[in-house]
Amino acid sequence: MTISLRNRRAGAAATATALALASLAALAGTATPASASGRATTAAATVLAPGPAAALKPASPAASASPASGDLAVPSALTLPRPTGPYATGRDTLFLTDHGRADPWVPAAGARRLLVSLHYPARPGSGGDPAPYMPEAEARLMLAQRGLDDPEWPGLVAATRTFSRTAARPAPGSFPLVLLSPGFGTPRATLTGLAEELASRGYVVATADHAYESTGTELPDGRVLPCAACDEVDAQPDEAGRRKVLAAVATGRAADFSFLLDRLTGPRPAWRHARTIDARRVGMAGHSIGGNAAASTMAADRRVDAGVNMDGMFFDPVTVRGLDRRPFLMLGTDPGHAPGAVDTSWDEGWDRLDGFKRWLTVRDSGHFTFTDTPVIGEHLGIVDPGAPLSAARSTTITRAYVTAFFDRSLRGRPARLLDGPAPAHPEVLFHRP
């Protein structure tokens, strides 16, 4: 794949940035991210090699208005797409410690810790300011890992406008719970748009950062945890070793989410609004290795009723016994995750899924299509010719199919969108191998 930068200054620095982004564009499921030291490593045979430097070119004038010659067109404010559901949304943050487990990547750090964003249906007009998107330190590390070192961008990304209010009062009623897990090396904030959409549709959504598995996780005391798990992947001598570590990431996240379910739905819940959760209806979705973790969590914890894998390789395979007839959606890139593609883990997983299941791929998409990355990239003028699907279409498709799946699986609502190709979404392909 190749990357172009729209409305950027010409010169070697821009070209180097573009090449760095191209080489790091696919994380776990196609490639692992750069380590804490900044190195990029290949995780599996399914890596998509970046195109040659000659293929990099500025976007055409028709793609966007161009600034005056020599100017850098940077927006004054980035904004996520507005949620489409009937509910206003609130957001809380929990910092949880699992004293029953040592951290698997840095045992000397002590017990396993999780930072969790909780999005929920809220009463209109309640709450304070819009919830912050991510700390600037996390944004800086995330961008640096992708070779993007413009000094203005971390502040812009951190200040991305969301639509959830802090300290908002919950809407009356109880709602299904959806757990979200981000890609390997990627902060939980990059799933904010999907979390807000689901909350606006009447779900409580818990998105977790897994300690030492992101380019940077800022703790409440201001310390920033590096990606020790990335370094562990880097240290492996071969692909088999890397796959083994990444499988451990998926199973470790399953333990994280079982603990999180205990703390959200147990007798002494950690969240002040836990009464709004209907613990009888729980789903999980994840991007990249977070999607693998959805299947791993379902295999380990019967409380999770349905799962979605968004473009993640099954480093931890779907169990031979299946998932006890629970529904599962595989939503990925095309052709990267179509039947018979290089990542055969989807073919194997499909055969083992034993409940309601759908295998969908999206034409013109990229690995990060199912996250906030296309929206932020377009705001910053980043163009990926290898994944030409627009941010608007990326957002619409991800929201529509993930919500339809959970509406069907957790609420028993009709979901005709899952029955077959839809004229409104011609990019989405159905596979029934």
mmCIF file of all heavy atoms in Angstrom, residues 376-418:
data_model
loop_
_atom_site.group_PDB
_atom_site.id
_atom_site.type_symbol
_atom_site.label_atom_id
_atom_site.label_comp_id
_atom_site.label_asym_id
_atom_site.label_seq_id
_atom_site.Cartn_x
_atom_site.Cartn_y
_atom_site.Cartn_z
ATOM 1 N N ILE A 376 -9.646 10.853 11.290
ATOM 2 C CA ILE A 376 -8.534 11.706 11.715
ATOM 3 C C ILE A 376 -7.567 11.925 10.565
ATOM 4 O O ILE A 376 -7.068 13.040 10.343
ATOM 5 C CB ILE A 376 -7.833 11.068 12.929
ATOM 6 C CG1 ILE A 376 -8.771 11.126 14.145
ATOM 7 C CG2 ILE A 376 -6.514 11.776 13.236
ATOM 8 C CD1 ILE A 376 -8.258 10.376 15.357
ATOM 9 N N GLY A 377 -7.300 10.866 9.788
ATOM 10 C CA GLY A 377 -6.392 11.000 8.658
ATOM 11 C C GLY A 377 -6.872 12.018 7.644
ATOM 12 O O GLY A 377 -6.087 12.834 7.152
ATOM 13 N N GLU A 378 -8.161 11.978 7.327
ATOM 14 C CA GLU A 378 -8.678 12.953 6.368
ATOM 15 C C GLU A 378 -8.581 14.372 6.907
ATOM 16 O O GLU A 378 -8.272 15.312 6.169
ATOM 17 C CB GLU A 378 -10.123 12.614 5.987
ATOM 18 C CG GLU A 378 -10.224 11.466 4.995
ATOM 19 C CD GLU A 378 -11.606 11.323 4.394
ATOM 20 O OE1 GLU A 378 -12.485 12.170 4.647
ATOM 21 O OE2 GLU A 378 -11.815 10.342 3.656
ATOM 22 N N HIS A 379 -8.838 14.548 8.191
ATOM 23 C CA HIS A 379 -8.701 15.875 8.788
ATOM 24 C C HIS A 379 -7.267 16.387 8.650
ATOM 25 O O HIS A 379 -7.046 17.589 8.419
ATOM 26 C CB HIS A 379 -9.076 15.832 10.266
ATOM 27 C CG HIS A 379 -10.534 16.010 10.539
ATOM 28 N ND1 HIS A 379 -11.197 17.192 10.330
ATOM 29 C CD2 HIS A 379 -11.461 15.156 11.027
ATOM 30 C CE1 HIS A 379 -12.470 17.067 10.662
ATOM 31 N NE2 HIS A 379 -12.663 15.834 11.084
ATOM 32 N N LEU A 380 -6.292 15.483 8.782
ATOM 33 C CA LEU A 380 -4.888 15.894 8.747
ATOM 34 C C LEU A 380 -4.324 15.900 7.333
ATOM 35 O O LEU A 380 -3.168 16.263 7.133
ATOM 36 C CB LEU A 380 -4.050 14.961 9.629
ATOM 37 C CG LEU A 380 -4.383 14.976 11.122
ATOM 38 C CD1 LEU A 380 -3.505 13.974 11.865
ATOM 39 C CD2 LEU A 380 -4.203 16.380 11.716
ATOM 40 N N GLY A 381 -5.131 15.494 6.344
ATOM 41 C CA GLY A 381 -4.659 15.491 4.973
ATOM 42 C C GLY A 381 -3.887 14.257 4.583
ATOM 43 O O GLY A 381 -3.101 14.291 3.635
ATOM 44 N N ILE A 382 -4.081 13.139 5.277
ATOM 45 C CA ILE A 382 -3.385 11.894 4.967
ATOM 46 C C ILE A 382 -4.250 11.070 4.026
ATOM 47 O O ILE A 382 -5.419 10.819 4.314
ATOM 48 C CB ILE A 382 -3.089 11.084 6.245
ATOM 49 C CG1 ILE A 382 -2.214 11.907 7.185
ATOM 50 C CG2 ILE A 382 -2.415 9.765 5.905
ATOM 51 C CD1 ILE A 382 -2.038 11.281 8.547
ATOM 52 N N VAL A 383 -3.674 10.647 2.918
ATOM 53 C CA VAL A 383 -4.399 9.889 1.911
ATOM 54 C C VAL A 383 -3.718 8.540 1.734
ATOM 55 O O VAL A 383 -2.498 8.467 1.625
ATOM 56 C CB VAL A 383 -4.429 10.639 0.564
ATOM 57 C CG1 VAL A 383 -5.196 9.834 -0.478
ATOM 58 C CG2 VAL A 383 -5.045 12.018 0.741
ATOM 59 N N ASP A 384 -4.483 7.472 1.691
ATOM 60 C CA ASP A 384 -3.951 6.132 1.468
ATOM 61 C C ASP A 384 -4.549 5.592 0.169
ATOM 62 O O ASP A 384 -5.670 5.080 0.165
ATOM 63 C CB ASP A 384 -4.308 5.225 2.648
ATOM 64 C CG ASP A 384 -3.847 3.786 2.435
ATOM 65 O OD1 ASP A 384 -3.157 3.533 1.430
ATOM 66 O OD2 ASP A 384 -4.175 2.932 3.270
ATOM 67 N N PRO A 385 -3.838 5.690 -0.957
ATOM 68 C CA PRO A 385 -4.392 5.189 -2.221
ATOM 69 C C PRO A 385 -4.689 3.701 -2.195
ATOM 70 O O PRO A 385 -5.480 3.213 -2.990
ATOM 71 C CB PRO A 385 -3.286 5.522 -3.243
ATOM 72 C CG PRO A 385 -2.510 6.623 -2.622
ATOM 73 C CD PRO A 385 -2.538 6.355 -1.146
ATOM 74 N N GLY A 386 -4.043 2.948 -1.281
ATOM 75 C CA GLY A 386 -4.319 1.526 -1.172
ATOM 76 C C GLY A 386 -5.625 1.216 -0.481
ATOM 77 O O GLY A 386 -6.084 0.075 -0.496
ATOM 78 N N ALA A 387 -6.218 2.208 0.161
ATOM 79 C CA ALA A 387 -7.507 2.045 0.840
ATOM 80 C C ALA A 387 -8.348 3.280 0.560
ATOM 81 O O ALA A 387 -8.524 4.137 1.425
ATOM 82 C CB ALA A 387 -7.302 1.853 2.341
ATOM 83 N N PRO A 388 -8.880 3.402 -0.656
ATOM 84 C CA PRO A 388 -9.544 4.648 -1.066
ATOM 85 C C PRO A 388 -10.924 4.873 -0.470
ATOM 86 O O PRO A 388 -11.511 5.926 -0.721
ATOM 87 C CB PRO A 388 -9.637 4.494 -2.594
ATOM 88 C CG PRO A 388 -9.629 3.019 -2.834
ATOM 89 C CD PRO A 388 -8.749 2.436 -1.768
ATOM 90 N N LEU A 389 -11.454 3.936 0.282
ATOM 91 C CA LEU A 389 -12.768 4.148 0.884
ATOM 92 C C LEU A 389 -12.724 5.391 1.768
ATOM 93 O O LEU A 389 -11.838 5.548 2.606
ATOM 94 C CB LEU A 389 -13.154 2.927 1.725
ATOM 95 C CG LEU A 389 -14.601 2.854 2.210
ATOM 96 C CD1 LEU A 389 -15.551 2.659 1.034
ATOM 97 C CD2 LEU A 389 -14.758 1.725 3.224
ATOM 98 N N SER A 390 -13.673 6.283 1.594
ATOM 99 C CA SER A 390 -13.662 7.541 2.331
ATOM 100 C C SER A 390 -13.931 7.326 3.810
ATOM 101 O O SER A 390 -14.478 6.292 4.223
ATOM 102 C CB SER A 390 -14.723 8.494 1.767
ATOM 103 O OG SER A 390 -16.031 8.010 2.082
ATOM 104 N N ALA A 391 -13.572 8.312 4.604
ATOM 105 C CA ALA A 391 -13.857 8.242 6.040
ATOM 106 C C ALA A 391 -15.350 8.150 6.297
ATOM 107 O O ALA A 391 -15.797 7.421 7.193
ATOM 108 C CB ALA A 391 -13.260 9.459 6.743
ATOM 109 N N ALA A 392 -16.133 8.895 5.519
ATOM 110 C CA ALA A 392 -17.583 8.866 5.716
ATOM 111 C C ALA A 392 -18.143 7.477 5.469
ATOM 112 O O ALA A 392 -18.964 6.965 6.239
ATOM 113 C CB ALA A 392 -18.256 9.885 4.802
ATOM 114 N N ARG A 393 -17.703 6.819 4.382
ATOM 115 C CA ARG A 393 -18.193 5.475 4.099
ATOM 116 C C ARG A 393 -17.644 4.465 5.110
ATOM 117 O O ARG A 393 -18.347 3.540 5.515
ATOM 118 C CB ARG A 393 -17.812 5.058 2.677
ATOM 119 C CG ARG A 393 -18.519 5.818 1.588
ATOM 120 C CD ARG A 393 -20.036 5.659 1.690
ATOM 121 N NE ARG A 393 -20.445 4.256 1.515
ATOM 122 C CZ ARG A 393 -21.571 3.749 1.993
ATOM 123 N NH1 ARG A 393 -22.410 4.504 2.688
ATOM 124 N NH2 ARG A 393 -21.869 2.489 1.787
ATOM 125 N N SER A 394 -16.395 4.627 5.507
ATOM 126 C CA SER A 394 -15.829 3.741 6.529
ATOM 127 C C SER A 394 -16.657 3.785 7.801
ATOM 128 O O SER A 394 -17.009 2.747 8.381
ATOM 129 C CB SER A 394 -14.385 4.152 6.843
ATOM 130 O OG SER A 394 -13.557 4.038 5.707
ATOM 131 N N THR A 395 -16.988 4.993 8.229
ATOM 132 C CA THR A 395 -17.774 5.171 9.447
ATOM 133 C C THR A 395 -19.168 4.586 9.298
ATOM 134 O O THR A 395 -19.652 3.848 10.166
ATOM 135 C CB THR A 395 -17.862 6.665 9.786
ATOM 136 O OG1 THR A 395 -16.552 7.177 10.049
ATOM 137 C CG2 THR A 395 -18.747 6.903 11.009
ATOM 138 N N THR A 396 -19.826 4.905 8.194
ATOM 139 C CA THR A 396 -21.203 4.447 7.979
ATOM 140 C C THR A 396 -21.285 2.928 7.953
ATOM 141 O O THR A 396 -22.163 2.323 8.590
ATOM 142 C CB THR A 396 -21.756 5.035 6.675
ATOM 143 O OG1 THR A 396 -21.801 6.462 6.793
ATOM 144 C CG2 THR A 396 -23.144 4.505 6.377
ATOM 145 N N ILE A 397 -20.386 2.293 7.239
ATOM 146 C CA ILE A 397 -20.414 0.833 7.112
ATOM 147 C C ILE A 397 -20.128 0.160 8.448
ATOM 148 O O ILE A 397 -20.835 -0.778 8.862
ATOM 149 C CB ILE A 397 -19.414 0.384 6.035
ATOM 150 C CG1 ILE A 397 -19.933 0.781 4.651
ATOM 151 C CG2 ILE A 397 -19.156 -1.120 6.114
ATOM 152 C CD1 ILE A 397 -18.899 0.639 3.549
ATOM 153 N N THR A 398 -19.094 0.612 9.137
ATOM 154 C CA THR A 398 -18.751 -0.010 10.423
ATOM 155 C C THR A 398 -19.899 0.124 11.401
ATOM 156 O O THR A 398 -20.308 -0.857 12.053
ATOM 157 C CB THR A 398 -17.480 0.628 10.995
ATOM 158 O OG1 THR A 398 -16.412 0.489 10.049
ATOM 159 C CG2 THR A 398 -17.078 -0.033 12.305
ATOM 160 N N ARG A 399 -20.438 1.328 11.524
ATOM 161 C CA ARG A 399 -21.547 1.542 12.457
ATOM 162 C C ARG A 399 -22.755 0.687 12.089
ATOM 163 O O ARG A 399 -23.373 0.045 12.947
ATOM 164 C CB ARG A 399 -21.948 3.017 12.454
ATOM 165 C CG ARG A 399 -20.967 3.945 13.137
ATOM 166 C CD ARG A 399 -21.420 5.385 12.979
ATOM 167 N NE ARG A 399 -20.671 6.295 13.850
ATOM 168 C CZ ARG A 399 -20.941 7.583 13.970
ATOM 169 N NH1 ARG A 399 -21.940 8.119 13.263
ATOM 170 N NH2 ARG A 399 -20.241 8.344 14.785
ATOM 171 N N ALA A 400 -23.098 0.663 10.807
ATOM 172 C CA ALA A 400 -24.323 -0.017 10.381
ATOM 173 C C ALA A 400 -24.266 -1.507 10.658
ATOM 174 O O ALA A 400 -25.211 -2.087 11.222
ATOM 175 C CB ALA A 400 -24.573 0.246 8.898
ATOM 176 N N TYR A 401 -23.177 -2.158 10.292
ATOM 177 C CA TYR A 401 -23.133 -3.614 10.399
ATOM 178 C C TYR A 401 -22.862 -4.085 11.824
ATOM 179 O O TYR A 401 -23.439 -5.089 12.264
ATOM 180 C CB TYR A 401 -22.116 -4.174 9.406
ATOM 181 C CG TYR A 401 -22.669 -4.156 7.994
ATOM 182 C CD1 TYR A 401 -22.502 -3.038 7.173
ATOM 183 C CD2 TYR A 401 -23.406 -5.223 7.496
ATOM 184 C CE1 TYR A 401 -23.046 -2.997 5.899
ATOM 185 C CE2 TYR A 401 -23.951 -5.198 6.224
ATOM 186 C CZ TYR A 401 -23.772 -4.077 5.431
ATOM 187 O OH TYR A 401 -24.322 -4.039 4.166
ATOM 188 N N VAL A 402 -22.027 -3.379 12.553
ATOM 189 C CA VAL A 402 -21.791 -3.784 13.944
ATOM 190 C C VAL A 402 -23.058 -3.581 14.771
ATOM 191 O O VAL A 402 -23.447 -4.446 15.562
ATOM 192 C CB VAL A 402 -20.598 -3.008 14.541
ATOM 193 C CG1 VAL A 402 -20.470 -3.288 16.042
ATOM 194 C CG2 VAL A 402 -19.306 -3.401 13.823
ATOM 195 N N THR A 403 -23.734 -2.451 14.584
ATOM 196 C CA THR A 403 -24.968 -2.205 15.327
ATOM 197 C C THR A 403 -26.048 -3.213 14.946
ATOM 198 O O THR A 403 -26.747 -3.749 15.821
ATOM 199 C CB THR A 403 -25.475 -0.772 15.073
ATOM 200 O OG1 THR A 403 -24.470 0.162 15.468
ATOM 201 C CG2 THR A 403 -26.743 -0.499 15.881
ATOM 202 N N ALA A 404 -26.206 -3.487 13.648
ATOM 203 C CA ALA A 404 -27.210 -4.464 13.223
ATOM 204 C C ALA A 404 -26.943 -5.826 13.841
ATOM 205 O O ALA A 404 -27.876 -6.524 14.279
ATOM 206 C CB ALA A 404 -27.222 -4.567 11.698
ATOM 207 N N PHE A 405 -25.671 -6.205 13.898
ATOM 208 C CA PHE A 405 -25.328 -7.509 14.478
ATOM 209 C C PHE A 405 -25.693 -7.576 15.952
ATOM 210 O O PHE A 405 -26.297 -8.550 16.422
ATOM 211 C CB PHE A 405 -23.838 -7.783 14.283
ATOM 212 C CG PHE A 405 -23.375 -9.045 14.946
ATOM 213 C CD1 PHE A 405 -23.629 -10.286 14.372
ATOM 214 C CD2 PHE A 405 -22.706 -8.990 16.156
ATOM 215 C CE1 PHE A 405 -23.215 -11.454 15.006
ATOM 216 C CE2 PHE A 405 -22.284 -10.154 16.787
ATOM 217 C CZ PHE A 405 -22.536 -11.393 16.209
ATOM 218 N N PHE A 406 -25.364 -6.533 16.708
ATOM 219 C CA PHE A 406 -25.690 -6.566 18.134
ATOM 220 C C PHE A 406 -27.190 -6.397 18.373
ATOM 221 O O PHE A 406 -27.740 -6.981 19.316
ATOM 222 C CB PHE A 406 -24.879 -5.524 18.901
ATOM 223 C CG PHE A 406 -23.446 -5.926 19.112
ATOM 224 C CD1 PHE A 406 -22.400 -5.064 18.786
ATOM 225 C CD2 PHE A 406 -23.129 -7.156 19.642
ATOM 226 C CE1 PHE A 406 -21.079 -5.437 18.977
ATOM 227 C CE2 PHE A 406 -21.801 -7.545 19.835
ATOM 228 C CZ PHE A 406 -20.778 -6.678 19.496
ATOM 229 N N ASP A 407 -27.859 -5.616 17.541
ATOM 230 C CA ASP A 407 -29.318 -5.524 17.666
ATOM 231 C C ASP A 407 -29.947 -6.908 17.500
ATOM 232 O O ASP A 407 -30.855 -7.287 18.247
ATOM 233 C CB ASP A 407 -29.884 -4.569 16.621
ATOM 234 C CG ASP A 407 -29.735 -3.099 16.999
ATOM 235 O OD1 ASP A 407 -29.352 -2.812 18.145
ATOM 236 O OD2 ASP A 407 -30.016 -2.240 16.138
ATOM 237 N N ARG A 408 -29.491 -7.662 16.538
ATOM 238 C CA ARG A 408 -30.035 -9.003 16.322
ATOM 239 C C ARG A 408 -29.641 -9.960 17.450
ATOM 240 O O ARG A 408 -30.466 -10.713 17.962
ATOM 241 C CB ARG A 408 -29.530 -9.561 14.988
ATOM 242 C CG ARG A 408 -30.110 -10.936 14.667
ATOM 243 C CD ARG A 408 -29.360 -11.624 13.550
ATOM 244 N NE ARG A 408 -30.004 -12.875 13.193
ATOM 245 C CZ ARG A 408 -29.838 -14.014 13.869
ATOM 246 N NH1 ARG A 408 -29.051 -14.051 14.939
ATOM 247 N NH2 ARG A 408 -30.464 -15.120 13.484
ATOM 248 N N SER A 409 -28.348 -9.909 17.836
ATOM 249 C CA SER A 409 -27.819 -10.917 18.759
ATOM 250 C C SER A 409 -28.189 -10.657 20.212
ATOM 251 O O SER A 409 -28.383 -11.609 20.983
ATOM 252 C CB SER A 409 -26.293 -10.974 18.623
ATOM 253 O OG SER A 409 -25.914 -11.266 17.295
ATOM 254 N N LEU A 410 -28.263 -9.401 20.614
ATOM 255 C CA LEU A 410 -28.504 -9.064 22.015
ATOM 256 C C LEU A 410 -29.921 -8.590 22.279
ATOM 257 O O LEU A 410 -30.377 -8.619 23.425
ATOM 258 C CB LEU A 410 -27.517 -7.986 22.476
ATOM 259 C CG LEU A 410 -26.029 -8.336 22.337
ATOM 260 C CD1 LEU A 410 -25.170 -7.187 22.860
ATOM 261 C CD2 LEU A 410 -25.678 -9.631 23.066
ATOM 262 N N ARG A 411 -30.619 -8.143 21.240
ATOM 263 C CA ARG A 411 -31.967 -7.600 21.434
ATOM 264 C C ARG A 411 -33.042 -8.381 20.690
ATOM 265 O O ARG A 411 -34.226 -8.104 20.861
ATOM 266 C CB ARG A 411 -32.007 -6.142 20.978
ATOM 267 C CG ARG A 411 -31.271 -5.205 21.933
ATOM 268 C CD ARG A 411 -31.383 -3.783 21.434
ATOM 269 N NE ARG A 411 -31.233 -2.846 22.527
ATOM 270 C CZ ARG A 411 -30.586 -1.694 22.441
ATOM 271 N NH1 ARG A 411 -30.046 -1.337 21.293
ATOM 272 N NH2 ARG A 411 -30.506 -0.882 23.475
ATOM 273 N N GLY A 412 -32.631 -9.315 19.848
ATOM 274 C CA GLY A 412 -33.611 -10.092 19.109
ATOM 275 C C GLY A 412 -34.368 -9.300 18.070
ATOM 276 O O GLY A 412 -35.475 -9.673 17.665
ATOM 277 N N ARG A 413 -33.772 -8.206 17.594
ATOM 278 C CA ARG A 413 -34.427 -7.380 16.593
ATOM 279 C C ARG A 413 -34.117 -7.870 15.192
ATOM 280 O O ARG A 413 -33.034 -8.417 14.943
ATOM 281 C CB ARG A 413 -33.979 -5.920 16.732
ATOM 282 C CG ARG A 413 -34.392 -5.261 18.037
ATOM 283 C CD ARG A 413 -33.865 -3.838 18.110
ATOM 284 N NE ARG A 413 -34.306 -3.160 19.328
ATOM 285 C CZ ARG A 413 -33.905 -1.946 19.707
ATOM 286 N NH1 ARG A 413 -33.046 -1.279 18.936
ATOM 287 N NH2 ARG A 413 -34.352 -1.406 20.821
ATOM 288 N N PRO A 414 -35.027 -7.688 14.247
ATOM 289 C CA PRO A 414 -34.724 -8.040 12.856
ATOM 290 C C PRO A 414 -33.530 -7.231 12.359
ATOM 291 O O PRO A 414 -33.368 -6.055 12.687
ATOM 292 C CB PRO A 414 -36.004 -7.666 12.103
ATOM 293 C CG PRO A 414 -37.067 -7.609 13.138
ATOM 294 C CD PRO A 414 -36.407 -7.161 14.403
ATOM 295 N N ALA A 415 -32.694 -7.880 11.574
ATOM 296 C CA ALA A 415 -31.517 -7.205 11.030
ATOM 297 C C ALA A 415 -31.362 -7.623 9.574
ATOM 298 O O ALA A 415 -30.500 -8.423 9.218
ATOM 299 C CB ALA A 415 -30.273 -7.552 11.844
ATOM 300 N N ARG A 416 -32.217 -7.068 8.725
ATOM 301 C CA ARG A 416 -32.203 -7.450 7.321
ATOM 302 C C ARG A 416 -30.885 -7.102 6.638
ATOM 303 O O ARG A 416 -30.520 -7.695 5.622
ATOM 304 C CB ARG A 416 -33.363 -6.790 6.593
ATOM 305 C CG ARG A 416 -34.686 -7.518 6.807
ATOM 306 C CD ARG A 416 -35.829 -6.850 6.082
ATOM 307 N NE ARG A 416 -36.266 -5.649 6.783
ATOM 308 C CZ ARG A 416 -37.298 -4.907 6.394
ATOM 309 N NH1 ARG A 416 -37.979 -5.227 5.315
ATOM 310 N NH2 ARG A 416 -37.659 -3.839 7.086
ATOM 311 N N LEU A 417 -30.154 -6.158 7.240
ATOM 312 C CA LEU A 417 -28.859 -5.790 6.683
ATOM 313 C C LEU A 417 -27.911 -6.989 6.651
ATOM 314 O O LEU A 417 -26.991 -7.036 5.819
ATOM 315 C CB LEU A 417 -28.251 -4.662 7.523
ATOM 316 C CG LEU A 417 -27.103 -3.855 6.924
ATOM 317 C CD1 LEU A 417 -27.538 -3.180 5.632
ATOM 318 C CD2 LEU A 417 -26.592 -2.828 7.925
ATOM 319 N N LEU A 418 -28.128 -7.950 7.546
ATOM 320 C CA LEU A 418 -27.262 -9.122 7.617
ATOM 321 C C LEU A 418 -27.736 -10.271 6.737
ATOM 322 O O LEU A 418 -27.102 -11.332 6.709
ATOM 323 C CB LEU A 418 -27.151 -9.594 9.069
ATOM 324 C CG LEU A 418 -26.591 -8.576 10.065
ATOM 325 C CD1 LEU A 418 -26.645 -9.129 11.475
ATOM 326 C CD2 LEU A 418 -25.163 -8.180 9.701
#
